[in-house]
Amino acid sequence: MLCPNLNAALMAEVFHCTTSNGIILSNCWFAFGAYGTKHPLRATKVEEFFIGKVLSVGVLYEAVKLLGAIVVPEFAHTTISRCLGIPEHNVRVITRRVGGGFGGKCFRAMPVATACAVAAYKLQRPVRIYMNRKTDMIIAGGRHPMKITYSVGFKSDGKITALDILINAGISVDVSPIMPHHIVETLKMYDWGALSFDIKLCKTNHSSKSAMRAPGEVQATFTAEAVIEHVATTLSLDVDSVRSKNLHNFNSLVFFFEGSAGEPVEYTLPSIWNKLAISSSFKERTEKIKQFNTCNKWQKRGISRVPIVHEVALTPTPGKISILSDGSVAVEVGGIELGQGLWTKVKQMAAFALSSIQCDEMGDFLEKIRVIQADTLSLIQRGLTAGSTKSESTCEAIRLCCNMLVERLILINKKLQEQMGSVKWSTLILQYGSALLLDSRRYSWYSPVSIEELQRSLSSVENGNGSRVKVVVGNIGMSYYYKELESFDKYIDLRCVPELSMIRRDDIRMIIGATVRISKAIEALREGNIVWKKIADHMEKVASRFVRNSASLGGNLVMAQRNHFPSDIAIVLLAVGLLVNLMNGLKSEEITMEEFLRMPELDSKSILVSVKIPDWDRIMSISSGTKMKLLFETYRATPRPLGNALPYSNATLMAKISRCASSDGMVVSDYRFAFGAYGTKHTIRATKVEEFLTGKVLSVDVLYEAVKLLRSIVVLDDDTSYPAYRSSLAAGFLFEFFSHLVEGNAESPNGYMNGYSTLMSPARHLDHGKVSTLLTSGKQEVELNKQYHPVDEPIAKSGAVIQASGEAVYVDDIPSPTKCLHGAFIFSTKPLARVKGIELKPKSVADGVNAVISFKDILGENLGIKTGFGPEPLFADDFTRCTGQYIALVVADTQKHADMAADLAVVDYDMENLEPPILSVEEVVRKSSFFEVPSFFQPKQVGDFSKGMAEADHKILSAEIKLGSQYYFYMETQTALAVPDEDNCIVVYSSIQAPEYAQSTISRCLGIPEHNVRVITRRVGGGFGGKAMEAIPVATACALAAYNLRRPVPMHMNRKTDMKTTGGRHPMEVTYSVGFKEDGKMTALHLDILINAGIGVDISPIIPLFMVDAIKKYDWVAFSFDIKVCRTNHSSKSAMRGPGEVQGTFISEAVIEHVASVLSMDADSGAAGELKEYTLPSIWDKLAASSSFKERTDMIKQFNMCNKWQKGGISRVPIVHEVLLQSNPGKVSILGDGSVAVEVGGIELGQGLWTKVKQMTAFSLSAIQCDGMGDFLEKIRIIQADTLSLVRGGLTAGSTTSECSCEAVRICCNILVERLTPIKEKFQEQMGSVEWGILILEATRQAVNLSASSYYVPDSSSMQYLNYGVGVSEVEVNLLTGQTTILQSDIIYDCGQSLNPAVDLGQIEGAFVQGIGFFMLEEYLSNSDGLVILEGTWTYKIPTVGTIPRQFNVEIMNSGHHKKRLISSKASGEPPLLLAVSVHCATRVAIREARKQLLHWKGLNESDLTFQLEVPATMPIVKKLCGLENVEIYLQSLLS
């Protein structure tokens, strides 16, 4: 495929041109094949070029050049693109340096690169070719051999007239057509008087010849000298005299070389000719050589003096210079370093050109400059490094870049000089910047295929020999519930033992093997009686489907027995009288489920073989016939109804009932009550309650006493969370089980279908996950505008398909480099302590630990985060100052070993003679431990608070609110990969929102200039602010370890470490005083807010401003505040989606709700009059109508009157959210095939930034109005962020980076359109219409710069604007469990004119759901030392499909034209999150109704219904406010 024969078929229709007497081509068909493409191709561009043209030499010459551009692609980039059949922007060719080229690495290197690419693309694996010398010599071709026949006429003094030359070109054309020109131009070194030639390129079956250093010129020089020598010999003249005779004078030079001759003063050859004769003593040495030759027979000498006249051509060359924030300089050029010193000259030119700025500290400026590798997607139109002039062309390109930078910097330098006298370079730049695979050698794996083999395997395990054995099936527990801190020596896989994997039924039971998957057990149970079906229903709530498909039934039960796992399966099976079959060695025994749970923890030699589940339908019919019926129900209260969620409490209740012979009541016998998950080690039987109820006739008073007795039995461990709530749940489960039998008249047993309860209870509408809470319906409305196509189009998010399929490459997907090590942090578990030392367990060292990196190993500054407010250290020094602070980095051979070593590390703390840590904001106030808020970030007070309070009819004084934190919970945890590079450099791949910040920090930490640090970010798997500052120390630690150890170091932080160290949203305590009128009109509001910022400043000083802006959404008339940013010994808090604004929104709604409660008004009526500004009033009214808000409010009131155990609520809230536009760079490059590569400062976090940028690029370039641009989006590719390719990328945050990136790209596109328009207009005059591809081909031929860069700086008058939205949410609260179900949410959001409605809808819905997490679900809990105690989704519950609104309606409002914003667009990333407070407010409404009912049952009035609903409003919080003893109070009310 690399060296085929070239073949072609050409056909054309021609006619005679009457006006020019020439030939015109009307139709052409040119087919070429076998030149490296998959199939023969039509040369359509050449056909189009010919049509309508009169044939001439010039036209033919242009056509040949055009054909050459097609058949012999100029770059490997283009060749690979065409060979793979993919656009050029999908190909990236990187060349750092070449170990010698001499022309052999021009075209002959292309098939090598292409072959590698074809293999890698097809096999989807990296492929490398390092060609051996033998192969290289055979196929490389080399210099052109040639046969030369010359005829020469000359005078007696040696004047020459003509030559005739033939050249051997080999099998393919390569660059051979340039040879005649080079030969002739070199032959012109002498004044031949007249020179004619007939030079032919010969196609032979030799390997193709290519350019080699001075192609043609070397042969021509030899030919010229051979002719000179021949003439001199013929005339018996001295050769040197013949050479001298034929040297050019300036006139003959101009005659032969025309414009290349330059000015007379430039023609230095005659003077050099004479000067060298003197300096080399040429004549004297010539005479001496003659004498020597006369005297010596067997040795002869010779001497010769020859001239050269060599014509060269300068070629277009791109260049780029980036000055980094530390003043170091990164240079990218078109020329390749072949060993010719190009980089050296470029560095010198950059130093010279930038030195014109005349700053101090520029003496060793060369050390600040680095030339970086060539990258075809970073710098395009590089051309060919050949012809001797690439260095000077490249230097000139760099000089132009430097001049532009100097022009930008000169004004600032002058201003600084006026202020400071002299200016350092670094000061100037700073000022400008501010404007697991099992190792068989170590472990053994056994897979027995019978019980006997299993017993033999277990018998080999001897106690006390130190061998660690683990029996496995799915091994799911390790991944999802507990983590193994140590490895095992021996693994026994039970999956192949048939006796353990069978399912069998007999007359009275079902027998299920221990290794049967939970999902298979569910299928089997569904085919049985109603009890078994209910068991299956309950088991289907365990984990998720893919876990149930992998986890085994026996494994779940063993985890409950051995690891005290709160198993839902164990509790269900305990109640039905399960029997367990155990095997220990050769012994087997059958015990009850209760005995199994109470026995000592199973060791590795004990195997659970099978379980037996009784068939109660069969047992009942045999024992009691039809006189007795069976009641059976399972219960489960969990933080979310679906997905991985451990229950707060669960229960399974079973009882036999019969009609009492002496009364109308029901007698209950043979109870089995199982309760679990409330703090005991194992599920228990409530035997005392069972004994109390046995034989009694069910009544209200009997049930009341049973509930009280159950409460006394359910005693929780001291460290159990929400003990009162869990005890209340148990009481609620028992009440619900019997309530339909005791309320009113007991129903007939005939009410039980097939003898089982249909749960016709007062809480009959309640469900415990039985009914799916998945989204049942939804509506999305957008207003489309075709004006800016394809902008405004709801196209699919760029990269969505490869993300969904798992093909998208994130940092952790990058293949581990050779000799790779892996890192894991050791972090502090103490808030303030001396660190005396770190000890790794010996086993950890054996398990691949290579090093432990701490602050003592830092080469530069101990810097982990640097913001404009201050620095934070990478590692704790001799003191750790907060829990979660990084102390050291363990580096090991695998990520698992690194994580295990870090977990097992023992840190020696000393807290003697230290002040107590500050762990509360109250202590902060006592000790005045505050961070300073710069004056320009301090919000301004509004109005006169004292006057407003004086005018108030009512006042609320010093009410308190506490707001907790929230974890980012991105899909991809903190991740980085650092690779040491040559020449003291480091390349870091980081999942980060601000690569530039990481680059600067790494530079200072390693003590190297920023141009030695390259940070690359392709995409981020979710950020929400947590990948802004918190990702920097991760990247820096990896870089430090890689730099010190000279080996690649990646780190994929596990969820546990991520949750304990990254800080999260700012918690705060708020005290408010508010004055208001009788009608609810506010007159004044004052807030005292203490913000817990943690130990480091991070970005905390911006929070007060953001909070105040959010609170201003209501007209408070007067608004004053005292907001303090508190420094505590907690981990540093950082920005999280809607930082400060989320809390501010909640505070404003809490105040409104409090005022409404005091006035006994509807909170919605109090709010409506306060709304202000722009589209918000119209949205407010529009949503009320579209969501039927008033009608639903009335329906909910009716619902609440009719239902005791469920209450509904609805709420409507507005938002006003201010955003700030940021400066942003952009670069657009059009490649040779017309595809487009785009670079922007914004990072793709999943927010659709790349999609919007692609749309904007397509829209802006479409202004050129070419044909062939219909599917132009497919030609555009956004490439990864690279801090040495595009500088000053800034921080992707604040919701506006997408539009700022789009604006930067629009500016670039406008520049390119401006450059291309003249060419396009000329083509239109000739051809009528112009295709995009032909336009770019012609622009490339004319050396038009097809790459444009920009730096968008927003105008001060429009850099801030307001966003508006309104949300309505309706909820239903279960009064027995506290579970809140969101029935419906409606949103209207003013998105301006959306850049992409599909993307913005996703952002609005996603933000709203994340807000639900903050307000309703996510508890970010810590211990008394401030250490986060959560380790993943088991204990931290983010929203899932089961907790989103059942009906979700979103409308994007097009609010019209906004001239000062990019195509009238507005932000959508953060503002909609604030609307989720509507769910919290609706829950408050439902709780108020529950509290009214509770007061009624108590016989009290409903005067005081004021309460504060905490954030998050979790089930325990809601249940507490609804009444932890509401069941007992209700039963008492019935008795009274």
Side-chain angles (χ1 to χ4, degrees), residues 1077-1081 1153 1155-1166 1488:
K1077 298 282 189 180
E1078 187 68 36
D1079 62 355
K1081 174 66 179 162
E1153 296 270 357
V1155 169
S1157 179
V1158 169
L1159 296 174
S1160 299
M1161 291 176 64
D1162 183 1
D1164 189 74
S1165 63
R1488 184 178 290 110

Side-chain angles (χ1 to χ4, degrees), residues 234-251:
T234 302
L235 296 174
S236 300
L237 291 173
D238 180 41
V239 176
D240 191 69
S241 65
V242 175
R243 290 193 178 105
S244 299
K245 189 72 176 177
N246 285 283
L247 285 182
H248 285 291
N249 57 38
F250 184 70
N251 290 332

Side-chain angles (χ1 to χ4, degrees), residues 880-935:
T880 174
R881 293 170 175 82
C882 72
T883 56
Q885 184 175 12
Y886 302 134
I887 296 176
L889 184 77
V890 176
V891 183
D893 58 347
T894 68
Q895 188 66 58
K896 181 179 180 180
H897 288 154
D899 287 338
M900 288 171 62
D903 282 338
L904 293 169
V906 178
V907 180
D908 186 5
Y909 297 105
D910 177 16
M911 289 168 281
E912 189 176 352
N913 299 324
L914 291 179
E915 288 284 326
I918 301 173
L919 296 173
S920 70
V921 292
E922 290 80 10
E923 293 174 69
V924 168
V925 174
R926 286 196 296 270
K927 296 183 178 182
S928 295
S929 177
F930 301 112
F931 287 114
E932 182 182 354
V933 178
S935 58

Side-chain angles (χ1 to χ4, degrees), residues 648 716 720-728 1419 1421 1510 1512 1514 1516-1517:
Y648 290 114
L716 287 83
T720 304
S721 62
Y722 305 114
Y725 169 65
R726 295 174 190 259
S727 176
S728 176
E1419 295 180 284
L1421 303 174
E1510 295 179 27
T1514 57
I1517 300 298

Side-chain angles (χ1 to χ4, degrees), residues 775-1018:
L775 179 72
T776 56
S777 64
K779 183 172 64 176
Q780 297 176 325
E781 292 186 21
V782 298
E783 297 178 35
L784 298 180
N785 188 329
K786 302 289 186 179
Q787 184 178 355
Y788 304 108
H789 178 83
V791 176
D792 302 336
E793 290 291 319
I795 66 170
K797 178 175 167 288
S798 178
V801 173
I802 60 172
Q803 283 180 287
S805 65
E807 297 171 272
V809 176
Y810 292 85
V811 174
D812 194 46
D813 297 315
I814 299 172
S816 296
T818 307
K819 297 183 180 179
C820 189
L821 298 171
H822 298 258
F825 281 120
I826 298 171
F827 56 85
S828 172
T829 58
K830 302 294 181 183
L832 183 61
R834 294 184 189 88
V835 179
K836 299 177 68 177
I838 303 170
E839 181 182 351
L840 297 182
K841 290 194 175 182
K843 181 63 182 174
S844 300
V845 179
D847 279 344
V849 173
N850 186 282
V852 177
I853 307 290
S854 70
F855 78 98
K856 298 175 182 178
D857 301 295
I858 293 174
L859 305 172
E861 304 174 44
N862 184 7
L863 186 66
I865 297 175
K866 176 69 172 70
T867 69
F869 303 110
E872 293 183 42
L874 176 59
F875 294 123
D877 45 30
D878 294 326
F879 289 85
T880 174
R881 293 170 175 82
C882 72
T883 56
Q885 184 175 12
Y886 302 134
I887 296 176
L889 184 77
V890 176
V891 183
D893 58 347
T894 68
Q895 188 66 58
K896 181 179 180 180
H897 288 154
D899 287 338
M900 288 171 62
D903 282 338
L904 293 169
V906 178
V907 180
D908 186 5
Y909 297 105
D910 177 16
M911 289 168 281
E912 189 176 352
N913 299 324
L914 291 179
E915 288 284 326
I918 301 173
L919 296 173
S920 70
V921 292
E922 290 80 10
E923 293 174 69
V924 168
V925 174
R926 286 196 296 270
K927 296 183 178 182
S928 295
S929 177
F930 301 112
F931 287 114
E932 182 182 354
V933 178
S935 58
F936 50 87
F937 278 114
Q938 290 178 353
K940 295 179 180 179
Q941 315 268 346
V942 178
D944 187 337
F945 174 73
S946 299
K947 180 181 177 182
M949 291 297 277
E951 295 173 354
D953 298 331
H954 303 274
K955 298 175 184 177
I956 298 172
L957 300 176
S958 300
E960 295 182 356
I961 299 172
K962 289 187 178 182
L963 290 167
S965 186
Q966 182 183 19
Y967 170 58
Y968 304 100
F969 223 107
Y970 21 62
M971 294 286 284
E972 173 200 35
T973 55
Q974 302 285 359
T975 310
L977 163 63
V979 182
D981 207 353
E982 63 176 27
D983 198 19
N984 214 30
C985 293
I986 192 89
V987 178
V988 181
Y989 300 88
S990 175
S991 178
I992 188 170
Q993 293 173 238
E996 181 185 349
Y997 291 24
Q999 179 190 31
S1000 177
T1001 303
I1002 293 167
S1003 163
R1004 293 176 61 177
C1005 185
L1006 302 187
I1008 58 177
E1010 287 186 28
H1011 67 201
N1012 281 27
V1013 181
R1014 183 171 221 143
V1015 180
I1016 295 173
T1017 303
R1018 178 174 292 177

